[in-house]
């Protein structure tokens, strides 16, 4: 279903008692954000802290409790917005619900204007260790990740690495118990030298390299790279080409995927199917019919048989 006009959506994610309610309350008390625009606030979980609508800067906010994930349908969203006559929608999302449910239900014309994730720093690393898929789900598309209750004895790098494993674009803020905020300024240099005559990709760096190369393929055009990969021969791949790559686990075992590139032989012998090799190859960004579009294309310089890496599934940390 489609709306007759665009509806901005402000999305606040995180687990129970992560600080979402407090932040939304303060936001709606601020006249710079809440200057009378008719607003629908969808509350998808009930925590200890409750909203105080009488403190909002304008009496323009309608609250709607959403008790079940299955209630998030396009038809319901449109009906709730129309009943509130809202110009915009705020969503306090349930941390135990996957974001695909909401994104899949958003009616045509509803656009996520901002997405914030909040986390209690005292429990986040435990949540991430035990519920990695749910944490990754909230981190992957957040514009800002706020770790509240952050104390001086905590190591920012531990939190930084978890966020960067899901997103390179999210800003990270550390909020101390006294309310002061420090922003993350940790640099993420690539673990390989792009200016070297041959860019050496270590076994433990394949996932980082593949993501960086996928996001900015043009910066690798003309570079010579060397990495260990598994060769695959498939029907539909040109006779003088093969596929080379590794499995990458982004979040958990359920999302392991073979992340690979096309490689032209250019006079090199064809490797066996399912054989591990150390490939040295020149990279170009150009059209290849295996992709059906422009993309990163390897041209083999040398192919050496080798043993699989100790950890065959590549990860980000």
């Amino acid at each position: 279903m489609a709306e007759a006009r665009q509806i901005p959506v402000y999305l606040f994610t995180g687990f129970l008692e992560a600080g979402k309610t407090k932040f939304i309350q303060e936001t709606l008390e601020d006249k710079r954000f809440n200057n009378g625009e008719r607003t629908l606030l969808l509350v998808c979980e009930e925590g200890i802290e409750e909203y105080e609508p009488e403190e909002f800067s304008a009496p323009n906010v309608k609250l709607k409790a959403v008790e079940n994930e299955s209630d998030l349908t396009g038809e319901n969203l449109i009906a709730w917005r129309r009943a509130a006559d809202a110009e915009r929608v705020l969503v306090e999302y349930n941390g135990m619900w996957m974001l695909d449910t909401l994104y899949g239900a958003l009616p045509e014309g509803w656009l996520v204007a901002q997405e914030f994730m909040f986390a209690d720093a005292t429990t986040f690393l435990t949540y991430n260790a035990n519920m990695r898929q749910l944490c990754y789900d909230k981190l992957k598309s957040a514009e800002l990740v706020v770790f509240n209750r952050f104390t001086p004895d905590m190591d920012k790098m531990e939190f930084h690495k978890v966020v960067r494993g899901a997103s390179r674009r999210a800003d990270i803020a550390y909020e101390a118990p006294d309310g002061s905020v420090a922003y993350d300024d940790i640099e993420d240099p690539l673990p390989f030298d792009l200016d070297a005559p041959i860019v050496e990709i270590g076994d433990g760096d394949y996932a980082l390299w593949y993501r960086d190369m996928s996001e900015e393929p043009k910066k690798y055009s003309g570079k010579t790279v060397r990495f260990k990969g598994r060769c695959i021969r498939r029907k539909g791949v040109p006779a003088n080409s093969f596929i080379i790559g590794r499995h990458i686990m982004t979040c958990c075992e359920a999302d392991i995927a073979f992340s690979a590139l096309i490689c032209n032989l250019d006079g090199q012998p064809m490797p066996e199917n399912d054989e591990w090799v150390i490939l040295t190859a020149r990279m170009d960004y150009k059209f290849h019919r295996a992709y059906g579009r422009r993309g990163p294309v390897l041209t083999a310089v040398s192919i050496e048989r080798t043993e699989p890496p100790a950890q065959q599934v590549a990860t980000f940390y």
Side-chain angles (χ1 to χ4, degrees), residues 163-238:
V163 176
R164 288 291 172 260
S167 170
R168 293 173 58 189
R169 297 181 176 87
D171 291 324
I172 307 171
Y174 305 96
E175 182 177 359
D178 64 4
S180 60
V181 176
Y183 286 90
D184 189 283
D185 58 0
I186 299 173
E187 294 186 8
D188 291 294
L190 293 171
F192 40 83
D193 184 2
L194 274 177
D195 296 322
I198 298 177
V199 182
E200 300 276 357
I201 312 301
D203 289 353
D205 300 328
Y206 183 86
L208 287 169
W209 170 69
Y210 190 87
R211 180 174 65 183
D212 189 65
M213 178 271 305
S214 299
E215 292 177 350
E216 299 184 78
K218 292 181 181 179
K219 82 179 185 184
Y220 287 89
S221 186
K223 303 286 186 182
T224 298
V225 298
R226 180 181 290 137
F227 64 92
K228 185 179 292 186
R230 178 180 163 216
C231 301
I232 303 293
R233 296 167 61 180
R234 291 286 185 268
K235 292 181 179 179
V237 175

Side-chain angles (χ1 to χ4, degrees), residues 19-33:
K20 301 188 298 293
T21 302
K22 180 175 182 288
F23 184 86
I24 296 171
Q25 175 74 36
E26 292 174 350
T27 300
L28 290 172
E29 291 177 5
D30 189 339
K31 289 184 178 180
R32 292 172 297 179
F33 180 83

Side-chain angles (χ1 to χ4, degrees), residues 30-42:
D30 189 339
K31 289 184 178 180
R32 292 172 297 179
F33 180 83
N34 188 19
N35 197 29
E37 299 90 341
R38 296 186 301 279
T39 302
L40 172 63
L41 172 55
L42 299 178

Side-chain angles (χ1 to χ4, degrees), residues 113-280:
Q114 291 181 306
E115 181 179 334
F116 306 101
M117 178 185 173
F118 295 84
D120 181 344
T122 64
T123 59
F124 175 76
L125 296 177
T126 300
Y127 270 96
N128 184 65
N130 296 321
M131 298 188 294
R132 172 63 181 162
Q133 186 173 10
L134 283 170
C135 286
Y136 175 83
D137 179 64
K138 309 304 180 295
L139 291 168
K140 64 183 180 182
S141 52
E143 296 172 45
L144 173 65
V145 179
V146 179
F147 292 110
N148 52 51
R149 305 181 181 95
F150 199 89
T151 56
D153 60 300
M154 295 177 176
D155 183 358
K156 289 182 180 178
M157 181 58 79
E158 289 189 80
F159 297 81
H160 174 94
K161 288 172 63 176
V162 173
V163 176
R164 288 291 172 260
S167 170
R168 293 173 58 189
R169 297 181 176 87
D171 291 324
I172 307 171
Y174 305 96
E175 182 177 359
D178 64 4
S180 60
V181 176
Y183 286 90
D184 189 283
D185 58 0
I186 299 173
E187 294 186 8
D188 291 294
L190 293 171
F192 40 83
D193 184 2
L194 274 177
D195 296 322
I198 298 177
V199 182
E200 300 276 357
I201 312 301
D203 289 353
D205 300 328
Y206 183 86
L208 287 169
W209 170 69
Y210 190 87
R211 180 174 65 183
D212 189 65
M213 178 271 305
S214 299
E215 292 177 350
E216 299 184 78
K218 292 181 181 179
K219 82 179 185 184
Y220 287 89
S221 186
K223 303 286 186 182
T224 298
V225 298
R226 180 181 290 137
F227 64 92
K228 185 179 292 186
R230 178 180 163 216
C231 301
I232 303 293
R233 296 167 61 180
R234 291 286 185 268
K235 292 181 179 179
V237 175
N240 66 334
S241 302
F242 65 97
I243 299 168
I244 182 167
R246 287 180 60 183
H247 283 91
I248 294 178
M249 181 172 68
T250 303
C251 163
C252 56
E253 291 186 2
D255 71 4
I256 293 175
F258 190 63
S259 302
L261 298 168
I262 195 74
C263 183
N264 296 325
L265 286 171
D266 195 28
Q268 296 291 325
M270 176 70 77
E272 296 293 328
N273 185 48
D274 208 25
E275 181 178 36
W276 283 89
V277 303
I278 297 173
L279 174 70
T280 304

